[in-house]
Amino acid sequence: MADVNLRTNNPTPRRHIMQSRRKLMKAGLAAAALATTNVALHATEERTSHSDTSGELPRQLTALSIRQEDGRETLGVKTEAGVLDVAAASKLLGYSPPLSLEELLTKGGNAELKALVEAALKSPTAKSTIVAESKIKFGRLFKNPGKIICVGLNYREHAEEAGQKPPAQPILFNKYNNTLAPHQATIQLPPRDLCYKFDYETELVVVIGRRASNVSVDEALSYVAGYAVGHDFTSRDLQLETGGQWMVGKTLDGFAPIGPYFVSADQVDPNNLNLETRVNGEVRQSVNTTKFIFNPQKLIAYTSRLFALEPGDIIFTGTPSGVIVGYPKEKQVWLKAGDKIESTIEGLGTLSFDLA
């Protein structure tokens, strides 16, 4: 009688009920296994996410930016035959490499770029895309980096001339993308009633190539894509006489020229480079990067503990002694319209710009 009632109230056969239960149990077990796997994977990611080691860095590359007639700023590669116009060569030969340095750093494409360079150097039809550097109008190496990080008082002698104690930890501040300017730029100075105490600051620029979060000093340089010459042009009156606003004194339009080249990290020892600044031909700064308080690997390790560094981020590593603000007040002759500034770093070239 119970079987009759069961069949009457539930038309599903008993064996089907048991099969459904087994399916549900199997599904539950599979879900539990998947959840366990995901937990394990997440735990593994947590252990390894301090430093993402993916991403191929450029090698044996000296790059620059070409300002095209239509206003585009595209990648150029320095070769023994001249500068390869990557945009022109890729169009002519049917390649699809990155067309800017930032695209190369953030999206990859080292193999495609290398293949294009090799093909262009061998192709008679591509000779027109290799031009003399003297014929190039330089564009900005960087147009839209995620971060422009700057370091203050990173040479002991510079800290002393500024009347400051050498810092126990790196002093960080920032610039914005409006400051970026190319090699051979003309910086338009603001009106005198806004500021007039303009000063030079030649600096080594570190370019990040892989995501770095909480990396060690020993591994820090493996996250560097390359280096460039940079200039942290500064208005000392805005920086020091308006409440200590370092950012304000350093972020006026065009106040961060970089160039002429990006040189891949495999070609550079950042801890042993001669650096020099000349104003109208007169040497004003001369030092070797062995004099850093915090060398690039220490800066990367420290900064990556505060926030992740991403491909394309750039770090201005600080300027040495010899800046105008370090002179006795009676000898401070500030930069003015018409002055020409040259910043040279061994192996990275000479960045030049003038003032108007």
Side-chain angles (χ1 to χ4, degrees):
M1 191 70 179
D3 287 344
V4 172
N5 290 339
L6 177 63
R7 292 190 185 97
T8 302
N9 295 332
N10 186 352
T12 304
R14 184 176 296 173
R15 67 176 181 274
H16 290 173
I17 294 173
M18 297 302 296
Q19 288 173 351
S20 297
R21 287 176 178 172
R22 283 196 292 270
K23 288 180 180 178
L24 287 172
M25 290 176 66
K26 288 180 179 179
L29 289 171
L34 180 60
T36 302
T37 302
N38 286 339
V39 169
L41 286 173
H42 181 69
T44 301
E45 289 173 357
E46 285 294 316
R47 290 193 297 269
T48 60
S49 64
H50 294 298
S51 57
D52 182 1
T53 56
S54 63
E56 180 188 359
L57 300 179
R59 296 184 61 82
Q60 295 298 306
L61 176 66
T62 300
L64 50 83
S65 177
I66 302 171
R67 184 172 181 83
Q68 305 286 356
E69 292 184 359
D70 61 4
R72 290 179 302 146
E73 294 167 295
T74 61
L75 187 62
V77 174
K78 191 175 176 68
T79 74
E80 292 183 358
V83 175
L84 177 68
D85 184 332
V86 172
S90 60
K91 183 177 181 180
L92 182 65
L93 299 178
Y95 284 74
S96 299
L99 297 183
S100 71
L101 177 58
E102 285 176 323
E103 184 181 349
L104 175 68
L105 296 173
T106 59
K107 298 181 180 180
N110 289 289
E112 293 89 338
L113 180 61
K114 182 179 179 181
L116 172 66
V117 173
E118 292 176 351
L121 290 174
K122 295 176 182 177
S123 171
T125 60
K127 284 186 177 180
S128 63
T129 66
I130 301 175
V131 297
E133 188 172 322
S134 60
K135 304 294 184 181
I136 288 173
K137 185 172 183 180
F138 285 83
R140 292 167 295 172
L141 271 178
F142 303 94
K143 295 178 288 184
N144 191 35
K147 305 179 196 69
I148 303 175
I149 302 160
C150 303
V151 182
L153 303 177
N154 198 22
Y155 290 85
R156 191 171 303 276
E157 292 81 3
H158 176 49
E160 291 172 353
E161 73 179 356
Q164 304 289 329
K165 293 181 180 179
Q169 293 181 323
I171 297 173
L172 304 183
F173 60 98
N174 68 294
K175 286 178 178 280
Y176 298 115
N177 293 343
N178 66 295
T179 64
L180 296 168
H183 172 52
Q184 298 178 347
T186 296
I187 295 179
Q188 299 290 332
L189 300 177
R192 184 180 174 86
D193 61 353
L194 178 64
C195 55
Y196 70 94
K197 295 182 178 180
F198 303 112
D199 206 348
Y200 47 78
E201 293 193 35
T202 297
E203 305 194 13
L204 173 67
V205 169
V206 175
V207 183
I208 300 299
R210 296 190 293 138
R211 188 177 190 275
S213 177
N214 198 27
V215 303
S216 69
V217 171
D218 290 340
E219 66 180 344
L221 292 186
S222 69
Y223 292 83
V224 176
Y227 303 91
V229 183
H231 202 101
D232 178 19
F233 198 68
T234 303
S235 166
R236 297 296 186 192
D237 38 0
L238 288 179
Q239 178 195 5
L240 302 173
E241 299 172 13
T242 57
Q245 299 192 65
W246 281 40
M247 183 271 288
V248 173
K250 293 169 175 285
T251 55
L252 301 184
D253 291 342
F255 271 39
I258 302 175
Y261 311 119
F262 162 90
V263 181
S264 59
D266 59 308
Q267 305 179 83
V268 180
D269 176 6
N271 297 305
N272 187 16
L273 298 173
N274 292 319
L275 178 154
E276 186 175 275
T277 304
R278 296 179 298 279
V279 177
N280 301 324
E282 177 188 354
V283 176
R284 298 288 186 88
Q285 292 180 291
S286 183
V287 76
N288 189 283
T289 57
T290 56
K291 301 296 184 181
F292 275 134
I293 297 175
F294 306 103
N295 61 23
Q297 50 266 51
K298 291 179 180 178
L299 294 176
I300 292 167
Y302 175 77
T303 305
S304 73
R305 293 184 64 191
L306 302 173
F307 45 80
L309 298 171
E310 303 288 349
D313 287 353
I314 58 179
I315 303 173
F316 281 75
T317 56
T319 198
S321 60
V323 293
I324 299 172
V325 75
Y327 288 20
K329 288 191 179 296
E330 65 274 11
K331 294 185 178 180
Q332 291 177 344
V333 180
W334 303 105
L335 298 174
K336 62 187 184 307
D339 285 343
K340 182 179 180 63
I341 295 88
E342 295 172 297
S343 299
T344 299
I345 298 181
E346 180 183 0
L348 302 180
T350 296
L351 166 68
S352 66
F353 60 95
D354 54 25
L355 307 178

